[in-house]
Amino acid sequence: MPRNLEEVAKLAGVSTSTVSRVLNNVSVVKTSTRTRVLKAVAQLNYHPNLHARTLAGGKSRTIGMIASNMENPFFFDVFKALEAHAQASGYEVVVANTDYDPQHLVSSIRLMIGRRVAGLAVVVSEMDQELIQELAQSQIPCVFYDVGSARRNITNIRVDYRKGVERIVEYLYDLGHRSLAFIGHHSGLGPTSERERAFVASVSRHGSDVEWRTVVDRDGLDGGRNATRELLDGGFQPSAIICVNDFMAVGVLRELRERGLSVPGDVSVTGFDNIKLSEYSAPPLTTAHIPRAKIGELAFTALMQNEETVLPAGREVVIEPELVLRGSTGPAGRGAARKKVS
Amino acid sequence: MPRNLEEVAKLAGVSTSTVSRVLNNVSVVKTSTRTRVLKAVAQLNYHPNLHARTLAGGKSRTIGMIASNMENPFFFDVFKALEAHAQASGYEVVVANTDYDPQHLVSSIRLMIGRRVAGLAVVVSEMDQELIQELAQSQIPCVFYDVGSARRNITNIRVDYRKGVERIVEYLYDLGHRSLAFIGHHSGLGPTSERERAFVASVSRHGSDVEWRTVVDRDGLDGGRNATRELLDGGFQPSAIICVNDFMAVGVLRELRERGLSVPGDVSVTGFDNIKLSEYSAPPLTTAHIPRAKIGELAFTALMQNEETVLPAGREVVIEPELVLRGSTGPAGRGAARKKVS
DNA sequence: TTGAAAGCGCTACCAG
DNA sequence: CTGGTAGCGCTTTCAA
């Protein structure tokens, strides 16, 4: 029994305009009529139709966020920060999950455009040029994380993965590791992600001094575990495993544990992101910190500026990951020699 | 530059009605005009305004879900299942997080009503009668998980926590544990949750044969850790800790590990829910399985039936948790005697 | 301080 | 098979 303005107006003995006014706290309404209206609203259990509101008002109070995998705490943390700031400014945010599926990305973007969101944060690893074009043309203020480049209504936030991965590789190298594996995940588009390429570039720099392999699987606990199996069953015996993110690293830890390999005694493991879970794993993960909260905040403020200022030039913000040393890494050699994989 | 139907119609040389028809695949449109329209749509990068659509059409294609804490994988799993089924039927789902904050719950519900969602799944631990009333009056098909009772347009899904907790307590008791602690979380409303009450009821049955304590903290990794600290620093020395859910249990595991207490050697730990993470912790958690995927599915189908049938009597579905035995529990006694908390 | 009326962009019904 | 037109529920001038 969805009530509408008119019913409320009738019951309160005023016009719909007046009801609208009190509901929006606009242009002083006499206190007596205001209370009368409010009473009618309560009495009828009236809830304004947001679609009509948005349509009539012309502007939406919601901002969208599209992520690859909300199951991975990394994305969730970004979302939380974004939402916190949005709410503080009277916006609500609706999220869409792509599950790394390009097709899903497309429909999510279309959905957001259809909703006429006030702004859109796209936090996915890959995205083809055409889609970016489509979004740009929509005139919706956007902020991309880790994909595309700044332009018209689009702001760019990116992490210098190259540097982050490099730091990890060098750290491990200095610890004596010469046999490295990289565990990544599918990016939905193209087989190699930026992080994987950064890894290859880093290890390649050491020439034949270090042997390495990369393997990818789905993002997640199970993916990390499977990748480790594939790696170890394939006969490669890394002294250190570098994971594309903490989430997968936790899966790696489990598989290693179940095979009786100790971390970091036999194998060192590193994550990436520094999600809360990385402190809670056993052992806690050495990782590269990425400031998710700041990213969420940056995204929101970028969207807002973009909305106020009419089409400013796109900006670009680059974030540098910081190495966080914990118990999952240690010197190479000892363990590997002491124990064989079954 | 948000285009609209009229522009498309003009460019294609047809009426808006025709454009609407091809966009909705309704009533046969001549192939030639159809292609012409589609071309115009593409050319203008046109995206239909969903608000206008919903308003004009009268029915929304989105269903809402409200959860206490999407960060806890339990809720996310329910969401995923719900979304999967929804998408398959052409619905999208938008979620709202309450963070166990009653005030937040209220605004989320209002928001959903304002959106005129086609259905609403409420997955929160507590909710006051007034709100339920407000929702019931909205005529929106609802499904509640673990709260309130079935009525008009409302279906109820609940887990028999009583039985779940009881099974855990008995299992531990049989293992020789006589000193039990329960770690729960705030429910937002009232200090004691149903699970905590179930715990108290279970242990009380054994009279003075078992000593026990309960402590609550925020839901999450940190909450579990803090609660454990409070417990242990408070001088209570439980031989087993029963957690309200797996998520918090992982936090408990960490604190225990850092204090040099072995699990299950010194202390046994149990979780609840059987989330994926419970298999990946060290040691993996003994827990009670709750079929999240099934709950998500049930929720969706309930919503759909409720929508088709006009106001059927509310139904109620009860789910029984199943005990899952893993490495975090073992016989009592040995360890506790061998080691003292610092 | 309040009311009347013109849309917002789209669907749906009624003609043709 | 296609066009015209009346709303959907609300905001927003413009008058009063």
Side-chain angles (χ1 to χ4, degrees), chain B residues 4-5 20 24 46 49 53 56:
Chain B
N4 63 22
L5 262 198
S20 175
N24 295 291
Y46 169 72
N49 183 319
R53 237 222 245 295

Side-chain angles (χ1 to χ4, degrees), chain B residues 1 18 44 54 70 91 100 121 133 150 177 200 208 308 320:
Chain B
M1 208 165 284
T18 300
L44 292 176
T54 313
M70 288 297 287
Y91 287 80
Y100 296 101
Q133 187 54 33
H177 294 274
V200 174
S208 56
E308 288 161 16
E320 268 202 29

Side-chain angles (χ1 to χ4, degrees), chain A residues 94-145:
Chain A
V94 349
V95 278
N97 220 166
T98 69
D99 261 312
Y100 296 100
D101 174 9
Q103 196 47 52
H104 211 322
L105 210 206
V106 174
S107 53
S108 294
I109 293 218
R110 301 250 164 91
L111 192 63
M112 293 299 182
I113 297 183
R115 279 195 182 116
R116 298 294 187 269
V117 291
L120 181 60
V122 182
V123 189
V124 302
S125 25
E126 319 258 336
M127 187 167 170
D128 71 39
Q129 217 45 45
E130 256 183 84
L131 245 193
I132 296 186
Q133 187 55 32
E134 187 172 338
L135 246 182
Q137 281 187 30
S138 77
Q139 299 291 64
I140 293 177
C142 289
V143 45
F144 287 177
Y145 172 77

Side-chain angles (χ1 to χ4, degrees), chain A residues 76 80 83, chain B residues 65-72 74-76 78 95-102 104-105 108 121-127 145-147 185-189 195 218-219 245:
Chain A
F76 194 82
K80 250 196 345 197
E83 190 187 37
Chain B
M65 164 167 169
I66 298 181
S68 300
N69 179 15
M70 288 297 287
E71 194 162 3
N72 184 329
F74 171 82
F75 295 95
F76 194 82
V78 172
V95 278
N97 219 169
T98 69
D99 260 313
Y100 296 101
D101 173 10
H104 211 322
L105 209 205
S108 294
V122 182
V123 189
V124 302
S125 24
E126 318 260 337
M127 188 166 169
Y145 172 77
D146 248 28
V147 64
H185 60 70
H186 309 299
S187 59
L189 209 75
R195 298 192 205 190
R218 294 182 2 91
D219 184 22
N245 63 37

Side-chain angles (χ1 to χ4, degrees), chain A residues 154-298:
Chain A
I154 299 176
T155 296
N156 238 257
I157 299 177
R158 56 192 335 139
V159 164
D160 193 342
Y161 284 118
R162 188 137 215 120
K163 192 158 296 179
V165 172
E166 222 161 66
R167 283 180 181 163
I168 291 177
V169 170
E170 291 315 314
Y171 162 71
L172 254 17
Y173 186 88
D174 290 348
L175 242 33
H177 293 276
R178 294 297 180 272
S179 173
L180 309 176
F182 177 84
I183 286 183
H185 60 68
H186 309 298
S187 59
L189 206 76
T192 41
S193 66
E194 189 188 338
R195 300 191 204 191
E196 183 175 344
R197 287 193 296 274
F199 168 77
V200 174
S202 284
V203 291
S204 297
R205 191 168 308 123
H206 293 288
S208 56
D209 191 21
V210 346
E211 53 172 358
W212 53 273
R213 248 201 82 180
T214 71
V215 31
V216 302
D217 208 291
R218 292 180 5 88
D219 183 22
L221 263 15
D222 285 340
R225 188 185 189 201
N226 286 339
T228 308
R229 286 178 170 167
E230 191 181 331
L231 200 64
L232 268 27
D233 290 343
F236 188 61
Q237 195 79 250
S239 71
I241 298 179
I242 294 173
C243 301
V244 70
N245 63 37
D246 296 335
F247 203 35
M248 291 190 77
V250 171
V252 172
L253 252 24
R254 175 184 176 186
E255 182 62 22
L256 258 19
R257 184 186 313 128
E258 290 181 354
R259 287 185 184 234
L261 289 169
S262 89
V263 176
D266 299 315
V267 185
S268 281
V269 174
T270 66
F272 211 103
D273 291 347
N274 192 28
I275 58 176
K276 179 64 80 179
L277 189 56
S278 70
E279 297 177 52
Y280 282 79
S281 64
L285 291 168
T286 284
T287 188
H289 176 71
I290 295 191
R292 283 106 43 210
K294 174 186 271 183
I295 290 174
E297 175 177 1
L298 274 174

Side-chain angles (χ1 to χ4, degrees), chain B residues 20-321:
Chain B
S20 175
R21 288 191 186 100
V22 337
L23 257 32
N24 295 291
N25 297 315
V26 48
S27 94
V28 201
V29 176
K30 206 200 297 173
T31 320
S32 63
T33 52
R34 160 178 300 270
T35 21
R36 200 142 34 86
V37 170
L38 257 19
K39 217 186 84 193
V41 166
Q43 195 168 323
L44 292 176
N45 193 236
Y46 169 72
H47 296 267
N49 183 319
L50 263 23
H51 300 293
R53 237 222 245 295
T54 313
L55 184 57
K59 68 273 154 101
S60 157
R61 250 347 217 178
T62 105
I63 87 173
M65 164 167 169
I66 298 181
S68 300
N69 179 15
M70 288 297 287
E71 194 162 3
N72 184 329
F74 171 82
F75 295 95
F76 194 82
D77 290 345
V78 172
F79 164 72
K80 251 195 348 197
L82 176 61
E83 189 188 37
H85 288 273
Q87 303 237 5
S89 299
Y91 287 80
E92 24 140 13
V93 13
V94 348
V95 278
N97 219 169
T98 69
D99 260 313
Y100 296 101
D101 173 10
Q103 196 47 54
H104 211 322
L105 209 205
V106 174
S107 54
S108 294
I109 294 221
R110 300 251 164 92
L111 191 64
M112 293 298 184
I113 297 183
R115 280 196 181 113
R116 297 295 187 271
V117 291
L120 181 60
V122 182
V123 189
V124 302
S125 24
E126 318 260 337
M127 188 166 169
D128 70 39
Q129 217 43 44
E130 256 182 82
L131 245 192
I132 296 185
Q133 187 54 33
E134 187 173 338
L135 246 181
Q137 282 188 30
S138 78
Q139 298 291 64
I140 293 178
C142 289
V143 46
F144 287 178
Y145 172 77
D146 248 28
V147 64
S149 51
R151 55 204 285 168
R152 290 270 287 305
N153 49 161
I154 298 177
T155 296
N156 238 256
I157 300 178
R158 54 190 338 137
V159 165
D160 192 342
Y161 284 116
R162 187 137 215 118
K163 191 159 296 177
V165 171
E166 220 160 68
R167 283 180 182 163
I168 289 178
V169 170
E170 292 313 315
Y171 162 71
L172 254 16
Y173 186 89
D174 291 346
L175 241 32
H177 294 274
R178 293 295 180 273
S179 171
L180 308 177
F182 178 84
I183 286 183
H185 60 70
H186 309 299
S187 59
L189 209 75
T192 39
S193 67
E194 189 188 338
R195 298 192 205 190
E196 183 175 344
R197 287 193 296 273
F199 168 77
V200 174
S202 284
V203 291
S204 297
R205 191 167 309 122
H206 294 287
S208 56
D209 190 21
V210 346
E211 52 172 359
W212 51 273
R213 247 201 81 179
T214 71
V215 31
V216 302
D217 207 290
R218 294 182 2 91
D219 184 22
L221 265 13
D222 286 339
R225 190 187 187 201
N226 287 340
T228 308
R229 286 179 170 167
E230 190 179 332
L231 199 64
L232 269 28
D233 290 344
F236 189 61
Q237 197 79 250
S239 71
I241 298 177
I242 295 175
C243 301
V244 70
N245 63 37
D246 297 335
F247 203 33
M248 291 191 76
V250 171
V252 172
L253 252 25
R254 176 184 174 186
E255 183 61 21
L256 258 20
R257 184 186 312 127
E258 290 182 354
R259 288 189 181 231
L261 289 169
S262 90
V263 176
D266 299 313
V267 185
S268 280
V269 174
T270 64
F272 212 103
D273 290 348
N274 192 26
I275 58 176
K276 180 64 81 177
L277 189 57
S278 71
E279 295 177 52
Y280 281 79
S281 63
L285 291 167
T286 283
T287 188
H289 176 72
I290 295 190
R292 282 105 46 210
K294 174 186 269 182
I295 290 174
E297 174 175 1
L298 274 173
F300 179 70
T301 55
L303 257 24
M304 290 301 99
Q305 291 176 212
N306 233 326
E307 191 178 47
E308 288 161 16
T309 335
V310 195
L311 306 182
R315 279 138 305 172
E316 171 147 318
V317 183
V318 177
I319 292 173
E320 268 202 29

